[in-house]
Every structure is written in C-alpha cells, then in structure tokens.
Amino acid sequence: MSSTDERSPILVSGAGIGGLAAAIGLAQKGFAVRLLEREKAPGELGAGLQLGPNALKALTALGIRGRLEGAAVELQALCIHDGRSGAELARWQLTPPMRARFGAPYWALHRRDLHGALLARARELDAIEIETGWHTVAFETGSREVAIYTREGTERRGAALVVAEGLWSATRAQIVGEGGLRPQFAGKTASRTLIPCERVAAPFRAPCAHIWLGPNAHVVHYPVCGGRLVNLVVILDDSWRRESWGGVLERSVVVAALRHMAAPLRALVSAADSWLRWPLYTLAPLPRWYSGRAVLLGDAAHPTLPFLAQGAALALEDAVVLADVLSQARTQVREGDGASRVVSNSAGLDFAAAFARYERLRKERTERVQRRSARNGAVYHMAGVPLRLRNAVLRAAPARLFMARYDWIYRYDPTAAARSPSAGPAT
Ligand SMILES: Cc1cc2nc3c(=O)[nH]c(=O)nc-3n(C[C@H](O)[C@H](O)[C@H](O)COP(=O)(O)OP(=O)(O)OC[C@H]3O[C@@H](n4cnc5c(N)ncnc54)[C@H](O)[C@@H]3O)c2cc1C
C-alpha cells in the first residue's frame, strides 16, 4: 500500500452506539474520521437502556449529555420482586446515592434517543464524514495505512481502522484469528416491548426500575422517553436462536411463558401489543484486540450479556479511552533527535503501540463486567432451594452492602483512565 498523507482519516466501521461515540471522541481530539455503516439509514430498534454514572461521564465527555436531559429518566430506585408472589424482596435507592457517591446520575432512556443524539452530534462535526450502505468484509493493514473492502471489492483507505461492528463483526476474525471465535448461544432470549404509560398501573409509571425474579426467567421494566413509555424486557431460558438481531414474537407466547408469575406483572405484560425477541450470545475473552492499524471496540471486542446493563456503557467508555490514548500518542510523536513536538494529524503515530495501550487499559475491566453479568444471569434464573436462599439473602442484607459490590463499575471515569499513574506510558 502507498503511504498515507497527513489528512488520512481514521476509518470507523459500524455506526452503532460504539462507532458513533468513537467517531465523536476522535473528531473532538482533532482527528479526521470516516464512519462507514452497513445500513442505508443508521438507526436503532425500539428498546430501553439503563446507563449508570460511568456511562454518564462518557456522555459528558462526548458533549451529548445535555441533549438527552429531556428524554432520559433519572431512576430513583431499583425494586426487586419475587416473580411468583410479587413480594418486594429489596429496594435499593439510586437517587441521591448515585450522584453522591459517583458524581453522576443513573439514567434510563430509549436507545433511539441515545443513538439519535450521537448521530446528530457526529453530523455536526466537520471532521466526520459518514458513509452509509457500506458493508465492510475485509481489511488490509500495512506499515503506513489501512484499507477496507466491501464484497464487491470497493475500497476505502485510512490511517487506521476502528472495528465497531457489534457482536457479529465481519472483520473481527482477521484481528484475532479464526479459532474459537463464533459467539455461543447463551440459552436465553430477551423479548422487548414499549408500552404507553397510560396503559400501565400507576406504581410502574414511577421513575424506578423493577426486576421480577422467577425460576428460569426474569423481567425488567422502567420508564423511558421522559416517562411517556415503559420499557419492558422478558428474559427466558429458551432454545430459540438465530444469528441476527430481532424477531417478531406473538404476545401469547410471552404471556404463556409468564403464566406462573404474579398478577400485577402478568397484567403489565398483557398491556403490550408487539414484541421483538433477541437470542443472547456470549463470546470468550479475545486473545487480543488489535492487529497492526486495526482495533476492536464495543460489542465487537467484548459482547456482554445484559444482566448488569453495561454493554453500551462499556462501548461509550471504550470510545473515550481510545480517543484519549490516540490523542496522547499523537502529541508525543518524536522527531529523530528525541525532542517532543505536537502534530495536528496522525502522521508518524505508532498506532499499534497506542492500540496495545488501549487494550491494556480496557481489557481487564470489560472481561470482569462480562463475567459478572453472566453470573447475575445465573442468579436471576435460580429455581428450587437456591432460589429460596437467594430471596432470603436479598430480604435480609442491607441495600448499601449490595450497592457497594457495584462500586467498581460506577466509580470508573473513562476520562481519567488514560491519565492515571497506573495507565502506563502514553505510547
Ligand atoms: C436485551 C438487551 C438489553 C440491553 N440493555 C442494556 C442496558 O440497559 N445498558 C447498556 O449499557 N447496554 C445494554 N445492552 C447492550 C447494548 O445494547 C450493546 O452493548 C451495545 O448496543 C453495543 O454497541 P456497539 O456499537 O458495540 O454494537 P451495535 O449496537 O451492535 O452496533 C454495530 C453497528 O455496526 C453496524 N455493522 C455491523 N457490521 C458491519 C459491517 N460489516 N460493516 C459496516 N457496518 C457494520 C451495524 O449495522 C450497527 O449499526 C443490552 C443488550 C440487550 C441485547
């Protein structure tokens, strides 16, 4: 491949939450970015997201927190119910403790609001060029640039490549090799719907998240869109699978699966018109996240089961840390005599060294979240004696003890990660 010039953009493949956040983070640090998305109209299917203080710090750094204030719901508490009896097992206060302990709120919002805000911000930034209808199938990384290709052989070149293609990333195998790389079905599905709040019983319209724990199933719901809609997710032990997002599901199937659950929950589930079902997959921790000038980000690097509500948060954190790491590497590009100078482009930047540092900063944390999330899934779906023991512990243990177990997740500040003394050299 020929040498790149100073304005050569960083290519980002995939304009989901992670890809958009990465493009914005890099553009804010002065890098030119070309963002390439498979879909003709980048968008998001309807469903909700919870975002904790760690994610909120990333949103602030990316300049979009303010845009979401009206759409987001600040959750006041998390209520945990026994799914069959409906009894409240525990109530963990989120507001004000989240703000007090971690300096940011705990939000619930519609994925479309988050994606829309990121997309709007990306479109405002001159440094970002967005190309849609582009399906990356392969890349080639050279000593001075990277090239990506579609199936038809069309090519785009850039200084580096960020692969943000989600769970089913087409190019991940080129980075980590083929062995053991197919996502594994987790034996669970997530069925999601949104219900207008006027159809929902008053207690469930309040700004709280609810989890109902039943044998082999659990249900999560919370309000989104400024409280106008309630997002409802039913997770079942299930054998239905396919290698893509979303399949329409009959309401009767969800209702039948939850027939042993408490009456208020069954009434809530029956109020929904349409359901989409997602099979859930896991992927073993990857041996590496980068190869030459190409690097993984978000679900492409560390798909995470949703039982800690952290997958999108980790993608946002990745984006902020990656932008910081590349920015620091750029400002430390050294001339032959060893003197430090600031350059305003990516020429001379050692991408492989910078990606190695980004991987060091991020891999341990993301793998820990993956493990804890999978463990939560097992605990949520307990049956028989383990279920009774779990419920007894939830009833008896003080809320602050449980909350303290999650400190390491919410305390994380992605804007400080690349600056901390333990973060290693900048390149
Ligand atoms: C039921 C459920 C509930 C969840 N709840 C939460 C929650 O409460 N909080 C939270 O933080 N996370 C949650 N998550 C996780 C979160 O949705 C994901 O972690 C997040 O969407 C990952 O973002 P991403 O950008 O890495 O990948 P994706 O969102 O999958 O985006 C990938 C993008 O790349 C594009 N693309 C794919 N392949 C190519 C290609 N070859 N070329 C070009 N473009 C390509 C796609 O079209 C898409 O736009 C949940 C997940 C599920 C399933």
Side-chain angles (χ1 to χ4, degrees), residues 13-19 36-39 44 48-51 111 134-136 164-167 170 190 192 222 233 245 280 297-300 306 309-313 315:
S13 180
I17 290 165
L36 301 114
E37 164 59 40
R38 179 179 61 185
E39 303 298 330
E44 272 289 342
L49 278 176
Q50 299 173 64
L51 292 179
R111 294 174 68 90
W134 173 281
H135 190 162
T136 309
E165 298 166 355
L167 170 69
R192 312 206 269 193
Y222 45 81
V233 188
W245 285 94
L280 300 179
L297 179 140
D299 272 13
Q310 280 292 321

